[in-house]
Amino acid sequence: MTLDNKKIKGISLKILIIIMGTIGVIISGILIASLYWLNNKFNAMKESEANYIEWEQSANILRRGSDSLTENVRAFAITGSDEYIKAYFKEAFEDKSRDNAILNLKNQSVNTSAYEELVSALSESNQLMNIEYKSMYLITLAYHIDIETYENSIITEKLSSVHLTDAEEAYSDEEKIDAAREMLYDYIYLGYKERIYSKIDLSIKQLDTVLKQNLSDATSSLKDILIVQQSLIMILLIFLVSLFVILFIKLVRPLNRGTSKIIEGDELEVKGVVEYKYLASSYNEMLDSNKEMTEILMYEADHDKLTSTYNRTGYDKIYRSLDLTKTTFILLDIDAFKKFNDLYGHSVGDEVLTFVSSVLLKHFKNTDYVCRLGGDEFCILLSNCGVEQKDSIAKRLDEIKNELGTNHGQLPKVTLSIGIAFGVEEDNTETLFKKADRALYSVKKNGKNGYLFYDPSEIDD
């Protein structure tokens, strides 16, 4: 049904929303203007905090990178395992976490003195590497490790550049190991580490002071702005509550009732605001149309478009739902169907399929299901049909055979090979199909153009 525009009366949701929206825009505009300053202050505070967090993370990355080098060189000095020396040079020259940490901060608007402290810490860490190179070199000599064999040329380059004193050259293997380990724990090495930690901590402390000052200034400004915001928010809250009540009465409640109707599949009541009345009317028209379309789609989903028989999907649904002890399965295909396509073309082949299916549908109706399994293969499921109806089935098959064997316009004569099996207690969908298939195979083997009821004693394997 379609409602005449002039006959629909009531409150227009469009006009209601325009009025309420205008009021809302005015209040929101005032609120947004007052929020602008607040937003700037808040963003400045967030930026300051984010810079501090990134700074602290970078400082900690620098600390961890330096500690990673120390851990790997000490592990190499203790074990002599080259996995540690590889990990050392990977961190120092591939991952470069220390260098990248400083690089990330280079373009930031940060405290200059704090940045210089981190740069100085990195410099100390790089100087410390000279001691670590020497320690690793002594270990490679003590364990007779050929540094030229390392795939990483940086390892060979850095360790080859280490200079040993005559006394160190003369050390025995054990003395070289002791010397390599001792230099990683003496006061010089630990002094470097202490200076690195101190510079990193000092950098973070300086940034912490700046952050606290920025937060204090921002907090003071925010307090002043919030006093103004409270009154505006209260006005907006009252407006929103009023808007909610109006929309609930005029729109939400009708929609809620309509939802229940939709869930139940019923037509909507044409009541409420003008726009909802049009919506309900359109929905009711669509509901009627959808019911018709659903029926069409359900039919097409289960039926073969060419032959109007059930397709494989329909066959599966029907076959699974039947009581097999009361089911007769007829499996058939068209003899020499390929020659129809080869000699006359696929259009004639389609006509043959259509003709065969029409004959089958004429002779099997009501509780019988004619299905096209694919190509020229068909099956017929006879429900509530057992061996006692064998003669009736044979009669119908003879009638089909005679009808297909006569001339029909330009179509050539058609013959079928058919296998029939009666369901018994122990059958399932697979075994019943196989019985009919064996009977069909026996017919084809013995000259085609006929039918055979499944009997193990008469089947040719």
Coordinates of all heavy atoms in Angstrom, one line a residue, residues 69-70 72-78 80 85 88-89 128-143 145 158-159 162-164 168 175-186 189:
L69 N 76.1 -4.8 25.4 CA 77.5 -4.9 25.0 C 78.3 -5.5 26.1 O 79.2 -6.4 25.9 CB 78.1 -3.6 24.5 CG 77.4 -3.0 23.3 CD1 78.1 -1.7 22.9 CD2 77.4 -3.9 22.1
T70 N 78.1 -5.0 27.3 CA 78.9 -5.5 28.4 C 78.6 -6.9 28.7 O 79.5 -7.7 29.0 CB 78.6 -4.6 29.7 OG1 79.0 -3.3 29.4 CG2 79.3 -5.1 30.9
N72 N 77.5 -9.3 26.7 CA 78.0 -10.2 25.7 C 79.5 -10.3 25.7 O 80.1 -11.4 25.6 CB 77.6 -9.7 24.3 CG 76.1 -10.0 24.0 OD1 75.7 -11.1 24.1 ND2 75.4 -9.0 23.6
V73 N 80.2 -9.2 26.0 CA 81.7 -9.3 26.0 C 82.2 -10.1 27.2 O 83.1 -10.8 27.2 CB 82.3 -7.9 25.9 CG1 82.1 -7.1 27.2 CG2 83.8 -8.0 25.6
R74 N 81.5 -9.9 28.4 CA 81.8 -10.7 29.6 C 81.5 -12.1 29.4 O 82.3 -13.0 29.8 CB 81.1 -10.1 30.8 CG 81.6 -8.8 31.3 CD 80.8 -8.2 32.4 NE 81.5 -7.0 33.0 CZ 80.9 -6.2 33.9 NH1 79.7 -6.5 34.4 NH2 81.6 -5.2 34.4
A75 N 80.4 -12.4 28.7 CA 80.0 -13.8 28.5 C 81.0 -14.5 27.5 O 81.4 -15.6 27.7 CB 78.6 -13.9 27.9
F76 N 81.5 -13.7 26.6 CA 82.5 -14.2 25.7 C 83.8 -14.5 26.4 O 84.5 -15.5 26.2 CB 82.7 -13.2 24.5 CG 83.8 -13.7 23.5 CD1 83.5 -14.8 22.7 CD2 85.0 -13.0 23.3 CE1 84.5 -15.3 21.8 CE2 85.9 -13.5 22.4 CZ 85.7 -14.6 21.6
A77 N 84.2 -13.6 27.3 CA 85.4 -13.7 28.1 C 85.4 -15.0 29.0 O 86.4 -15.6 29.2 CB 85.7 -12.5 28.9
I78 N 84.2 -15.3 29.4 CA 84.0 -16.4 30.4 C 83.9 -17.8 29.6 O 84.6 -18.7 30.0 CB 82.8 -16.2 31.3 CG1 83.0 -15.1 32.2 CG2 82.5 -17.5 32.1 CD1 81.8 -14.7 33.0
G80 N 84.1 -18.2 25.9 CA 84.8 -18.3 24.6 C 83.9 -18.7 23.5 O 84.4 -19.0 22.4
I85 N 80.2 -13.1 20.8 CA 80.9 -12.0 20.1 C 80.1 -11.6 18.8 O 80.1 -10.4 18.5 CB 82.3 -12.5 19.6 CG1 83.2 -11.3 19.1 CG2 82.3 -13.6 18.5 CD1 84.6 -11.7 18.8
Y88 N 77.4 -9.4 20.2 CA 78.0 -8.1 20.5 C 78.1 -7.2 19.3 O 77.6 -6.0 19.3 CB 79.4 -8.3 21.1 CG 80.2 -7.0 21.4 CD1 80.1 -6.5 22.7 CD2 80.9 -6.3 20.4 CE1 80.8 -5.3 23.0 CE2 81.6 -5.2 20.7 CZ 81.5 -4.7 22.0 OH 82.2 -3.5 22.3
F89 N 78.6 -7.7 18.2 CA 78.8 -6.9 17.0 C 77.5 -6.6 16.3 O 77.3 -5.6 15.6 CB 79.8 -7.5 16.1 CG 81.3 -7.2 16.5 CD1 81.9 -8.1 17.3 CD2 81.9 -6.0 16.1 CE1 83.2 -7.9 17.7 CE2 83.2 -5.8 16.5 CZ 83.9 -6.7 17.3
L128 N 84.4 3.0 25.7 CA 84.5 1.8 26.5 C 84.7 0.6 25.5 O 85.3 -0.5 25.9 CB 83.2 1.6 27.3 CG 83.2 0.4 28.3 CD1 84.3 0.5 29.3 CD2 81.9 0.4 29.0
M129 N 84.2 0.7 24.3 CA 84.3 -0.4 23.3 C 85.7 -0.8 23.0 O 86.0 -1.9 22.7 CB 83.5 -0.1 22.1 CG 82.0 0.0 22.3 SD 81.1 0.6 20.8 CE 81.3 -0.8 19.7
N130 N 86.6 0.2 23.1 CA 88.1 -0.1 22.8 C 88.6 -1.1 23.8 O 89.4 -2.0 23.5 CB 88.9 1.2 22.9 CG 88.5 2.1 21.7 OD1 88.2 1.7 20.6 ND2 88.5 3.4 22.0
I131 N 88.2 -1.0 25.1 CA 88.6 -2.0 26.1 C 88.0 -3.3 25.8 O 88.6 -4.4 25.9 CB 88.2 -1.5 27.5 CG1 88.9 -0.2 27.9 CG2 88.5 -2.5 28.6 CD1 88.4 0.4 29.2
E132 N 86.7 -3.3 25.4 CA 86.0 -4.5 25.1 C 86.6 -5.2 23.8 O 86.7 -6.4 23.8 CB 84.5 -4.2 24.9 CG 83.8 -3.7 26.1 CD 82.5 -3.1 25.9 OE1 82.2 -2.8 24.8 OE2 81.7 -2.9 26.9
Y133 N 87.0 -4.4 22.8 CA 87.7 -5.0 21.7 C 89.0 -5.8 22.1 O 89.2 -6.9 21.6 CB 88.1 -3.9 20.7 CG 86.9 -3.3 20.0 CD1 87.1 -2.0 19.4 CD2 85.7 -3.9 19.8 CE1 86.0 -1.4 18.8 CE2 84.7 -3.3 19.1 CZ 84.8 -2.0 18.6 OH 83.8 -1.4 18.0
K134 N 89.7 -5.1 23.0 CA 91.0 -5.7 23.4 C 90.7 -7.0 24.2 O 91.4 -8.0 24.0 CB 91.8 -4.7 24.3 CG 93.2 -5.2 24.6 CD 94.0 -4.1 25.3 CE 95.4 -4.5 25.5 NZ 96.2 -3.4 26.1
S135 N 89.7 -7.0 25.0 CA 89.3 -8.2 25.8 C 89.0 -9.3 24.9 O 89.4 -10.5 25.0 CB 88.2 -7.9 26.8 OG 87.7 -9.1 27.4
M136 N 88.1 -9.0 23.9 CA 87.7 -10.1 23.0 C 88.9 -10.6 22.1 O 88.9 -11.8 21.8 CB 86.6 -9.5 22.0 CG 85.3 -9.3 22.7 SD 83.9 -8.8 21.6 CE 84.3 -7.1 21.3
Y137 N 89.8 -9.7 21.8 CA 90.9 -10.1 21.0 C 91.8 -11.1 21.7 O 92.3 -12.1 21.2 CB 91.7 -8.9 20.5 CG 92.9 -9.2 19.6 CD1 92.7 -9.9 18.4 CD2 94.2 -8.9 20.0 CE1 93.7 -10.2 17.6 CE2 95.3 -9.2 19.1 CZ 95.0 -9.8 17.9 OH 96.1 -10.1 17.1
L138 N 92.0 -10.8 23.0 CA 92.8 -11.7 23.9 C 92.2 -13.0 24.0 O 92.9 -14.1 24.0 CB 93.0 -11.1 25.3 CG 94.0 -9.9 25.4 CD1 93.9 -9.2 26.7 CD2 95.4 -10.3 25.1
I139 N 90.9 -13.0 24.1 CA 90.2 -14.3 24.2 C 90.3 -15.1 22.9 O 90.5 -16.4 23.0 CB 88.7 -14.1 24.5 CG1 88.5 -13.5 26.0 CG2 87.9 -15.4 24.4 CD1 89.0 -14.4 27.1
T140 N 90.2 -14.5 21.8 CA 90.3 -15.2 20.5 C 91.7 -15.8 20.4 O 91.9 -16.9 19.9 CB 90.1 -14.3 19.3 OG1 91.0 -13.2 19.3 CG2 88.6 -13.8 19.3
L141 N 92.7 -15.1 20.9 CA 94.1 -15.6 20.8 C 94.2 -16.8 21.8 O 94.9 -17.8 21.4 CB 95.1 -14.5 21.2 CG 95.2 -13.3 20.2 CD1 96.2 -12.3 20.8 CD2 95.7 -13.8 18.9
A142 N 93.6 -16.6 23.0 CA 93.8 -17.7 24.0 C 93.1 -19.0 23.5 O 93.6 -20.1 23.8 CB 93.2 -17.2 25.3
Y143 N 92.0 -18.8 22.9 CA 91.2 -20.0 22.4 C 91.6 -20.4 21.0 O 90.9 -21.3 20.4 CB 89.7 -19.7 22.5 CG 89.2 -19.8 23.9 CD1 89.0 -18.7 24.6 CD2 88.9 -21.1 24.5 CE1 88.5 -18.7 26.0 CE2 88.4 -21.1 25.8 CZ 88.2 -20.0 26.5 OH 87.8 -20.0 27.8
I145 N 91.1 -18.8 18.1 CA 90.0 -18.6 17.2 C 90.6 -17.7 16.1 O 91.1 -16.6 16.3 CB 88.9 -17.9 17.9 CG1 88.3 -18.8 19.0 CG2 87.8 -17.6 16.9 CD1 87.2 -18.1 19.9
K158 N 87.7 -4.8 13.5 CA 87.8 -4.2 14.8 C 88.9 -4.9 15.6 O 89.7 -4.3 16.3 CB 86.5 -4.1 15.5 CG 85.5 -3.2 14.8 CD 86.0 -1.8 14.8 CE 84.9 -0.8 14.2 NZ 85.4 0.6 14.1
L159 N 88.8 -6.3 15.6 CA 89.7 -7.0 16.4 C 91.2 -7.0 15.9 O 92.1 -7.0 16.6 CB 89.3 -8.5 16.6 CG 87.9 -8.7 17.3 CD1 87.6 -10.1 17.6 CD2 87.8 -7.8 18.6
V162 N 93.3 -4.1 17.1 CA 93.7 -4.0 18.5 C 95.2 -4.1 18.7 O 95.9 -5.0 18.0 CB 93.0 -5.1 19.3 CG1 93.6 -5.2 20.8 CG2 91.5 -4.9 19.4
H163 N 95.8 -3.2 19.5 CA 97.3 -3.3 19.7 C 97.6 -3.9 21.0 O 97.0 -3.4 22.0 CB 97.9 -1.8 19.6 CG 99.3 -1.8 19.9 ND1 100.3 -2.3 19.0 CD2 100.0 -1.3 21.0 CE1 101.5 -2.1 19.6 NE2 101.3 -1.5 20.8
L164 N 98.5 -4.9 21.1 CA 98.9 -5.5 22.3 C 100.3 -5.1 22.6 O 101.2 -4.9 21.7 CB 98.8 -7.0 22.3 CG 97.4 -7.6 22.0 CD1 97.5 -9.1 22.0 CD2 96.4 -7.2 23.1
E168 N 101.9 -8.3 26.8 CA 100.6 -9.0 26.5 C 100.7 -10.1 25.5 O 100.1 -11.1 25.5 CB 99.5 -8.0 26.1 CG 99.1 -7.1 27.3 CD 98.2 -5.9 26.9 OE1 98.4 -5.5 25.7 OE2 97.5 -5.4 27.7
E175 N 97.0 -16.7 30.9 CA 97.2 -15.3 31.3 C 96.4 -14.4 30.4 O 95.8 -13.3 30.9 CB 98.7 -15.0 31.2 CG 99.5 -15.7 32.3 CD 101.0 -15.5 32.1 OE1 101.4 -15.3 30.9 OE2 101.7 -15.5 33.1
K176 N 96.3 -14.7 29.2 CA 95.5 -13.9 28.3 C 94.0 -13.9 28.7 O 93.3 -12.8 28.7 CB 95.6 -14.3 26.8 CG 97.0 -14.0 26.2 CD 97.1 -14.6 24.8 CE 98.5 -14.4 24.2 NZ 98.7 -15.0 22.9
I177 N 93.5 -15.1 29.1 CA 92.1 -15.2 29.5 C 91.9 -14.4 30.8 O 91.0 -13.6 30.9 CB 91.7 -16.6 29.7 CG1 91.7 -17.4 28.4 CG2 90.4 -16.8 30.4 CD1 91.5 -18.9 28.5
D178 N 92.9 -14.5 31.7 CA 92.8 -13.8 33.0 C 92.8 -12.3 32.7 O 92.0 -11.5 33.3 CB 93.9 -14.2 33.9 CG 93.8 -15.6 34.4 OD1 92.6 -16.1 34.4 OD2 94.7 -16.2 34.9
A179 N 93.7 -11.8 31.8 CA 93.8 -10.4 31.6 C 92.5 -9.9 30.9 O 92.1 -8.8 31.2 CB 95.0 -10.1 30.7
A180 N 92.0 -10.7 30.0 CA 90.8 -10.3 29.3 C 89.6 -10.1 30.2 O 88.8 -9.2 30.1 CB 90.5 -11.3 28.2
R181 N 89.5 -11.0 31.2 CA 88.4 -11.0 32.1 C 88.6 -9.8 33.1 O 87.7 -9.1 33.5 CB 88.3 -12.3 32.9 CG 87.9 -13.5 32.0 CD 87.9 -14.8 32.7 NE 87.5 -15.9 31.9 CZ 87.5 -17.2 32.2 NH1 88.0 -17.5 33.4 NH2 87.1 -18.1 31.4
E182 N 89.9 -9.6 33.6 CA 90.2 -8.6 34.6 C 89.8 -7.2 34.1 O 89.3 -6.4 34.8 CB 91.6 -8.7 35.0 CG 92.0 -7.7 36.1 CD 93.4 -7.8 36.5 OE1 94.1 -8.8 36.2 OE2 93.9 -7.0 37.3
M183 N 90.2 -6.9 32.8 CA 90.0 -5.6 32.3 C 88.5 -5.2 32.2 O 88.1 -4.1 32.0 CB 90.7 -5.4 31.0 CG 90.1 -6.2 29.8 SD 91.0 -5.8 28.2 CE 92.7 -6.3 28.6
L184 N 87.6 -6.3 32.2 CA 86.2 -6.0 32.1 C 85.6 -5.7 33.5 O 84.4 -5.4 33.6 CB 85.4 -7.2 31.5 CG 85.8 -7.5 30.1 CD1 85.1 -8.7 29.6 CD2 85.5 -6.3 29.1
Y185 N 86.4 -5.8 34.5 CA 85.9 -5.6 35.9 C 86.7 -4.7 36.7 O 86.5 -4.4 37.9 CB 85.8 -6.9 36.7 CG 84.7 -7.9 36.1 CD1 85.1 -8.8 35.1 CD2 83.4 -7.8 36.5 CE1 84.1 -9.7 34.6 CE2 82.4 -8.7 36.0 CZ 82.8 -9.6 35.1 OH 81.9 -10.5 34.5
D186 N 87.8 -4.1 36.1 CA 88.7 -3.2 36.9 C 88.1 -1.8 37.1 O 87.0 -1.6 36.5 CB 90.1 -3.2 36.2 CG 90.0 -2.6 34.8 OD1 89.0 -2.0 34.5 OD2 91.0 -2.7 34.1
Y189 N 87.2 0.2 33.8 CA 86.0 -0.2 33.1 C 84.8 0.2 33.9 O 83.8 0.7 33.3 CB 86.0 -1.7 32.9 CG 84.9 -2.3 32.0 CD1 85.2 -2.4 30.6 CD2 83.7 -2.6 32.5 CE1 84.2 -2.8 29.8 CE2 82.7 -3.0 31.6 CZ 82.9 -3.2 30.3 OH 81.9 -3.6 29.4

